[in-house]
Amino acid sequence: MHVAALRAQPTIEPSDAELLDGIREGEERAFRRLYDRHARYLAGVAYRLLGNDNELEDVVQEAFLEAIRFLHRVREPERLRSWLVTVTVRRVRRRLRKRRSRRRLAAAVAPVAPRVSDPGQSADVEALYRALDQVAPEARIPWILHHVQGATLPETADVCDMSLSTVKRRIAHARRQLEGRLA
Amino acid sequence: MEELGRRAGKELDVPWDDLRHARVRDRVRRDWKDGRALGGWRRGQDLWRWAGAAVVLVAVAMAALLGGLRTENPAPVVTVAPVLEPAMDRRLGPEVRAENALSLADGSRVVMLREAEVSVVSDDSRGVRLRHEAGRVRYEVMPRERTPFVVEAGEVEVRVVGTVFVVDVEPRWTTVEVSEGRVEVRDAEDMVTLESGEQLRLRPNRELAPTDQVVPHRAEKSEAKPASTPGALENVRSRRPRSSAAKLMARADAARAVGDLVGAIRALQQLVREHPTAPRAPQAWMTLGRLERQRGRPIAASQAFRHVFEQARSHPLAEDAMGEAAQALATAGKVEEARRAAERYLARYPSGIHRDKMRSLLGR
């Protein structure tokens, strides 16, 4: 029995640009590959920003839907991941703002409980995220992207859609607040 | 403060397993196909499509009013299953189980077992035709006298008379296992009949002799029927694993939750040993690496991380694994090996998430 090309050329990975073209043509396989390539990374970014996984799936889902919707805006396909992170950050920012407004209304808010590999580190990390929860999203996001995610300052400015000086100012602001709360 | 942030970045364990990954992918795909992600470039096209559809609908309604049409069957539906292994299926409530199975008009059932995507091409008086895109699915087909029940899986079709069988579409294999009854597996050139207890495993991009991949899939049981053409098939004869990959991963998670590192490591080692090509294997290696690092065994950790990127270079965890392997080697005092690993990382991921750490390993 000759079983032809159930999966064509598995060793040749199409570029993001090719996958974007495929998605524009409505190809599901292109969508799957693009999603598989970037979703875990975006989930990691979103999780570090959110600090818990209550809204993680929703954020990744929304980010991808928004990305698909605005694919025509992608000018540099080779920088697709960075653009996807920008979209994810935007979705997280909305979620964090809602979370804060809910807290102001004294509504029940799920406790922040980030999951860590090493149980010995969990107390410190939990304390950090409890403190971060008191920091405004505009300062919290750049601080986490820079210090937890490990992004450089220009990268942080890029994905936050801010100038470098604004990012520096906000990170410094977050730092002051965190120091006050963790002292 | 910055040090605490760095530690958090290193220790945060992102809860994004294969299950979640596939579940969100299916949701996005469904919304995309439903048009909920549309905008901009497609909106214009869709207006025209809707206008065309409206014209067709009006024409159909007119024809029906004139007595020329009688619709007998519902329109085909598309279903995307959540990702569940049988073991998890039992653990979850009945509502979840119900969502996980599709019932057809004749009482046949399509049970999604793992990362499954099945769409209904047609389900009418002429028979049932399904398209099996991916994952593992059990088909429980009611006895049929005249109308066919066909599953399209990759380049082959599985035709049924009345039976229970499983189709598993993976990147490396497409497998058909028959539990009861008989099915015919066809492609454009040939046809193979499988009976109860037999399994056909198809390798993509490879020319096969007509039935040379047919094996009894319950070979360890004495009542299993012999293969259609027994021959040099030992290399594909498979013993059933004692536990599924999902079950072992769940066991490892449960052990980790109570701080039982050794129990978690044992479960993960069993997973990678018994299911080396399972979609969960890279994640299992990754977690093994982290647990070994946590136990203070950096060499074992680096070996586990190496498995991730050596076995699945395009896996989303490969980059992280490569960076972690280099750091584990450095922790173990293997300076030269760590430097080589860091150089490999930077060559492959010049702007990767571990680039700063790799540069620091290289003293840059």
Side-chain angles (χ1 to χ4, degrees):
Chain A
M1 176 180 283
H2 180 246
V3 182
L6 281 175
R7 186 165 281 223
Q9 300 298 325
T11 54
I12 299 172
E13 279 291 316
S15 66
D16 282 347
E18 288 168 321
L19 294 178
L20 288 177
D21 287 342
I23 293 173
R24 289 186 182 114
E25 296 297 320
E27 284 176 21
E28 285 193 25
R29 187 167 290 197
F31 159 71
R32 286 175 65 97
R33 285 192 123 150
L34 193 85
Y35 175 90
D36 288 346
R37 191 174 289 173
H38 298 291
R40 276 177 212 276
Y41 183 81
L42 297 185
V45 174
Y47 185 63
R48 289 180 179 97
L49 292 174
L50 288 164
N52 63 39
D53 73 346
N54 295 345
E55 299 164 296
L56 183 57
E57 288 185 24
D58 290 341
V59 165
V60 175
Q61 180 178 351
E62 288 170 5
F64 266 96
L65 285 172
E66 188 176 330
I68 290 172
R69 183 175 181 189
F70 295 109
L71 279 185
H72 61 289
R73 292 189 185 171
V74 180
R75 298 274 178 262
E76 299 171 273
E78 65 280 6
R79 296 191 66 241
L80 181 72
R81 176 169 282 190
S82 169
W83 181 72
L84 288 170
V85 171
T86 305
V87 174
T88 305
V89 166
R90 205 155 46 220
R91 304 308 304 192
V92 169
R93 192 183 295 132
R94 282 185 204 176
R95 295 262 166 185
L96 290 174
R97 281 178 185 154
K98 278 186 193 167
R99 201 192 272 182
R100 279 170 70 83
S101 63
R102 279 204 304 271
R103 188 169 305 139
R104 276 199 285 271
L105 294 168
V109 177
V112 175
R115 213 169 80 172
V116 294
S117 313
D118 180 358
Q121 303 284 345
S122 64
D124 285 350
V125 176
E126 273 184 49
L128 172 65
Y129 272 89
R130 267 201 305 276
L132 278 167
D133 235 23
Q134 308 300 318
V135 178
E138 288 69 22
R140 168 191 175 123
I141 289 173
W143 192 89
I144 294 178
L145 284 173
H146 184 50
H147 289 303
V148 180
Q149 180 73 22
T152 62
L153 286 170
E155 285 168 347
T156 305
D158 188 29
V159 298
C160 289
D161 220 5
M162 295 172 186
S163 70
L164 192 57
S165 57
T166 304
V167 158
K168 285 180 182 171
R169 207 169 48 246
R170 295 209 171 152
I171 289 176
H173 177 71
R175 181 188 180 163
R176 281 194 300 277
Q177 285 202 307
L178 289 174
E179 281 172 347
R181 294 186 187 283
L182 290 171
Chain B
M1 192 60 53
E2 286 72 21
E3 173 54 30
L4 182 55
R6 269 193 292 277
R7 252 191 297 147
K10 201 171 174 184
E11 293 298 336
L12 273 179
D13 197 3
V14 181
W16 191 259
D17 55 14
D18 292 349
L19 191 85
R20 282 191 135 174
H21 184 80
R23 188 165 55 220
V24 174
R25 182 180 62 208
D26 290 343
R27 281 198 221 143
V28 176
R29 175 182 165 276
R30 187 188 55 214
D31 286 355
W32 172 43
K33 288 295 172 185
D34 286 353
R36 266 173 269 180
L38 293 185
W41 63 275
R42 280 188 72 173
R43 195 172 281 154
Q45 294 176 11
D46 275 23
L47 280 175
W48 284 108
R49 280 187 198 147
W50 280 109
V55 170
V56 172
L57 273 175
V58 169
V60 170
M62 292 290 287
L65 279 174
L66 293 171
L69 269 180
R70 273 172 52 210
T71 52
E72 296 174 3
N73 299 294
V77 294
V78 174
T79 131
V80 177
V83 186
L84 293 171
E85 283 280 11
M88 301 186 69
D89 192 358
R90 281 195 294 279
R91 223 173 46 205
L92 297 169
E95 23 346 291
V96 179
R97 281 204 296 276
E99 279 177 15
N100 205 30
L102 169 69
S103 293
L104 300 175
D106 69 346
S108 298
R109 274 165 40 92
V110 179
V111 184
M112 318 296 188
L113 299 178
R114 175 174 48 76
E115 296 184 5
E117 284 185 36
V118 176
S119 56
V120 182
V121 180
S122 62
D123 177 12
D124 55 29
S125 57
R126 287 165 299 173
V128 175
R129 179 171 284 268
L130 309 175
R131 185 169 299 126
H132 183 139
E133 303 281 359
R136 185 173 174 85
V137 178
R138 185 173 70 246
Y139 297 92
E140 301 168 359
V141 184
M142 295 300 281
R144 311 174 77 83
E145 289 181 0
R146 294 190 186 131
T147 57
F149 185 107
V150 179
V151 178
E152 299 171 7
E155 295 295 315
V156 297
E157 279 185 5
V158 185
R159 283 180 175 264
V160 187
V161 180
T163 189
V164 177
F165 67 104
V166 171
V167 178
D168 195 348
V169 176
E170 289 186 57
R172 293 165 62 140
W173 304 97
T174 294
T175 310
V176 182
E177 299 170 9
V178 182
S179 304
E180 296 170 21
R182 192 170 61 176
V183 302
E184 294 171 359
V185 184
R186 305 163 180 241
D187 73 354
E189 298 168 18
D190 216 331
M191 189 270 283
V192 174
T193 301
L194 293 181
E195 300 199 348
S196 172
E198 289 182 346
Q199 168 185 292
L200 178 68
R201 182 170 268 198
L202 305 165
R203 235 178 283 203
N205 300 324
R206 193 177 153 210
E207 197 165 308
L208 302 172
T211 55
D212 78 349
Q213 298 283 302
V214 178
V215 295
H217 70 86
R218 282 180 287 195
E220 71 275 18
K221 291 189 177 176
S222 57
E223 66 268 27
K225 295 185 177 180
S228 298
T229 49
L233 301 175
E234 293 306 315
N235 59 334
V236 294
R237 191 179 294 265
S238 57
R239 273 178 296 165
R240 291 209 155 215
R242 281 168 297 184
S243 300
S244 69
K247 200 170 180 178
L248 290 167
M249 188 61 94
R251 196 184 297 165
D253 284 346
R256 289 172 69 203
V258 296
D260 177 10
L261 294 189
V262 176
I265 287 172
R266 272 195 201 130
L268 292 168
Q269 284 173 337
Q270 189 181 344
L271 193 161
V272 296
R273 191 173 57 243
E274 293 186 355
H275 307 274
T277 58
R280 289 168 197 271
Q283 193 190 347
W285 279 118
M286 191 76 196
T287 312
L288 256 178
R290 287 180 176 146
L291 292 175
E292 294 288 15
R293 184 185 62 198
Q294 205 172 320
R295 280 212 297 174
R297 298 180 51 183
I299 296 287
S302 73
Q303 286 166 348
F305 291 133
R306 206 174 62 204
H307 274 284
V308 180
F309 60 83
E310 284 188 349
Q311 291 188 355
R313 285 182 185 276
S314 58
H315 193 278
L317 291 173
E319 178 190 346
D320 208 17
M322 204 177 237
E324 292 281 9
Q327 289 175 80
L329 286 167
T331 307
K334 304 273 184 188
V335 180
E336 273 314 305
E337 287 178 49
R339 286 175 64 85
R340 282 199 295 275
E343 276 167 357
R344 277 198 301 274
Y345 176 94
L346 288 172
R348 190 170 173 84
Y349 306 107
S351 55
I353 52 173
H354 293 286
R355 65 187 179 285
D356 293 339
K357 289 170 188 163
M358 297 300 108
R359 284 180 191 146
S360 119
L361 284 179
L362 292 168
R364 292 178 191 168

